[in-house]
């Protein structure tokens, strides 16, 4: 403890003639010596603590922001991988698959996950605080949740479908699925690029056996769900002793229904025969009620109600047969 010399001399007069040790506080240097021994004051301590707290807060905020960015990238890449897997599975199985957003941070993948040949739905959740939003980052209306459906050729049911993911940093990433089934991450394509095509030799390097296997008639659609030659004509057929044609609401051989039973279409079979049974054989994604109709001899009209019984968006065949004379195929496009 530092004590001024005058006070010390008064308290201990018998020491007044004793010289101070070298370096001790004397006379004019007493105040300076006392100040040098005072230590850290409260104000200085508060300032140091405040600076440390600010630096620590900035470091934590930067770390959290980096974590949110990493979660956004991870969720985007996993979603894109699931879409690619679904498309590959559709081509491999010669069937249909889809990826559909079910909530703000969840989606379902319908494909053959187990390698058994039977597709099933599995649900996945985005990483913490990552959500599906509109392109501007605003919350998405559940009625507008996107989905990507693939047919047996790996083509998508729509020209372009965009999945937008956002985080708390107001950062966004997107996964775009084109009509041909191509998947693009963080680069939205709005126009078809101009490409230069080279000539192809039709007599060499061609594998004549490269044919997709499968049963059932498939409508060859171009990307975006539009036929390159227009909708097929109304189905009709004629055989020994009978004739049958189908009447549809579109006047063509292609009708549309909303997915998962949200709407229906009525198709009328007009039969001229000696009598028999009209049998409907739909794709598993389509329901026909009833599946069979017995008709009397002569010219008879009978109706069938067609609905979708899954969430898959694609174009599916329904075969109508009156044995043994004729059969025909109607195409049902399932829309959202």
């Amino acid at each position: 403890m530092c004590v001024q010399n005058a006070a010390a001399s008064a308290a201990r007069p018998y020491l007044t003639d004793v010289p101070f040790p070298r370096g001790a506080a004397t006379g004019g240097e007493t105040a300076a010596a006392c100040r040098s021994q005072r230590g850290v004051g409260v104000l200085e301590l508060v300032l140091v603590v405040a600076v440390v707290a600010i630096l620590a807060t900035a470091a934590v905020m930067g770390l959290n922001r980096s974590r949110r960015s990493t979660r956004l990238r991870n969720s985007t890449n996993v979603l894109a991988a699931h879409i690619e897997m679904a498309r590959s599975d559709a081509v491999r199985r010669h069937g249909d698959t889809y990826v559909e957003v079910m909530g703000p941070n969840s989606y379902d993948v319908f494909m053959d996950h187990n390698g058994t040949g039977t597709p099933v739905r599995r649900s996945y959740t985005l990483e913490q605080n990552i959500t599906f939003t509109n392109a501007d980052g605003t919350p998405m209306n559940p009625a507008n949740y996107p989905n990507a459906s693939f047919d047996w050729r790996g083509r998508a049911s729509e020209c372009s479908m965009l999945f937008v993911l956002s985080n708390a940093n107001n950062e966004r990433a997107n996964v775009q699925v084109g009509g041909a089934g191509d998947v693009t991450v963080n680069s939205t394509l709005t126009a078809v690029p101009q490409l230069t095509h080279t000539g192809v030799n039709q007599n060499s390097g061609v594998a004549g056996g490269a044919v997709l296997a499968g049963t059932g008639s498939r409508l060859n659609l171009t990307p975006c769900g539009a036929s390159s030659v227009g909708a097929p004509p109304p189905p009709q057929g004629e055989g020994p002793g009978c004739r049958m044609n189908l009447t549809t609401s579109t006047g063509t051989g292609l009708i549309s229904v909303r997915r998962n039973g949200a709407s229906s279409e009525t198709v009328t079979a007009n039969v001229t025969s000696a009598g028999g049974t009209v049998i409907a054989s739909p794709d598993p994604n389509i329901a026909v009620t009833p599946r069979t109709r017995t008709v009397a001899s002569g010219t008879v009209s009978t109706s069938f109600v067609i609905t979708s019984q899954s969430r898959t968006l694609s174009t599916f065949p329904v075969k109508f047969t009156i044995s043994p004379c004729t059969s025909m195929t109607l195409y049902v496009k399932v829309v959202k």
Side-chain angles (χ1 to χ4, degrees):
M1 180 176 179
C2 180
V3 181
Q4 291 184 355
N5 291 342
S9 298
R12 295 173 290 178
Y14 53 88
L15 295 178
T16 55
D17 295 329
V18 179
F20 282 93
R22 186 177 180 180
T26 62
E29 61 184 10
T30 300
C34 289
R35 284 196 299 269
S36 66
Q37 298 180 35
R38 187 180 301 165
V40 179
V42 175
L43 180 59
E44 289 89 341
L45 183 60
V46 170
L47 290 176
V48 171
V49 172
V51 171
V52 172
I54 292 173
L55 294 177
T57 301
V60 171
M61 291 178 62
L63 181 60
N64 289 338
R65 185 177 183 87
S66 177
R67 285 177 175 174
R68 290 191 288 264
S69 298
T70 300
R71 293 188 186 113
L72 178 62
R73 288 194 299 270
N74 290 345
S75 293
T76 302
N77 292 336
V78 170
L79 173 63
H82 280 142
I83 295 175
E84 289 279 15
M85 290 170 57
R87 180 177 184 269
S88 299
D89 182 64
V91 176
R92 179 181 65 84
R93 289 188 301 102
H94 206 187
D96 302 287
T97 60
Y98 62 82
V99 177
E100 180 180 14
V101 174
M102 303 300 294
N105 66 339
S106 63
Y107 60 93
D108 283 0
V109 180
F110 178 77
M111 59 173 283
D112 179 15
H113 295 276
N114 302 318
T116 61
T118 302
V120 295
R121 288 169 65 102
R122 280 189 182 177
S123 297
Y124 296 89
T125 303
L126 302 179
E127 293 199 24
Q128 182 181 1
N129 296 324
I130 306 300
T131 58
F132 291 105
T133 65
N134 295 314
D136 59 358
T138 57
M140 179 170 287
N141 187 323
N144 298 326
Y145 283 157
N147 72 294
S149 297
F150 300 102
D151 64 12
W152 64 292
R153 293 177 180 269
R155 293 172 174 170
S157 59
E158 299 187 32
C159 288
S160 176
M161 183 56 66
L162 192 65
F163 298 79
V164 180
L165 294 80
S166 299
N167 63 11
N169 296 342
N170 200 28
E171 297 172 331
R172 288 184 290 278
N174 61 68
V175 178
Q176 185 186 30
V177 183
D182 52 297
V183 180
T184 306
V185 178
N186 289 334
S187 181
T188 304
L189 303 178
T190 58
V192 178
Q194 297 296 323
L195 302 176
T196 301
H197 300 278
T198 58
V200 178
N201 189 330
Q202 299 181 5
N203 299 317
S204 63
V206 179
V211 179
L212 288 174
T215 58
S217 177
R218 298 282 183 169
L219 182 61
N220 184 8
L221 297 177
T222 59
C224 311
S227 173
S228 58
V229 294
Q236 56 184 341
E238 186 171 353
C242 72
R243 183 171 63 252
M244 181 169 64
N245 64 74
L246 298 181
T247 301
T248 64
S249 61
T250 61
T252 68
L254 176 65
I255 61 174
S256 297
V257 294
R258 295 176 60 192
R259 65 178 181 178
N260 213 27
S263 70
S264 63
E265 281 282 341
T266 299
V267 175
T268 301
N270 306 296
V271 183
T272 300
S273 71
T277 301
V278 180
I279 302 173
S281 303
D283 181 275
N285 291 280
I286 301 298
V288 180
T289 307
R291 293 287 289 271
T292 62
R293 288 279 198 185
T294 301
V295 295
S297 60
T299 300
V300 180
S301 296
T302 185
S303 297
F304 298 84
V305 178
I306 297 178
T307 58
S308 163
Q309 59 178 3
S310 74
R311 304 181 69 87
T312 305
L313 305 181
S314 188
T315 301
F316 304 102
V318 179
K319 186 177 182 181
F320 289 88
T321 303
I322 180 167
S323 183
C325 62
T326 189
S327 64
M328 61 200 62
T329 301
L330 173 73
Y331 295 99
V332 181
K333 181 179 180 181
V334 179
V335 297
K336 191 172 182 179

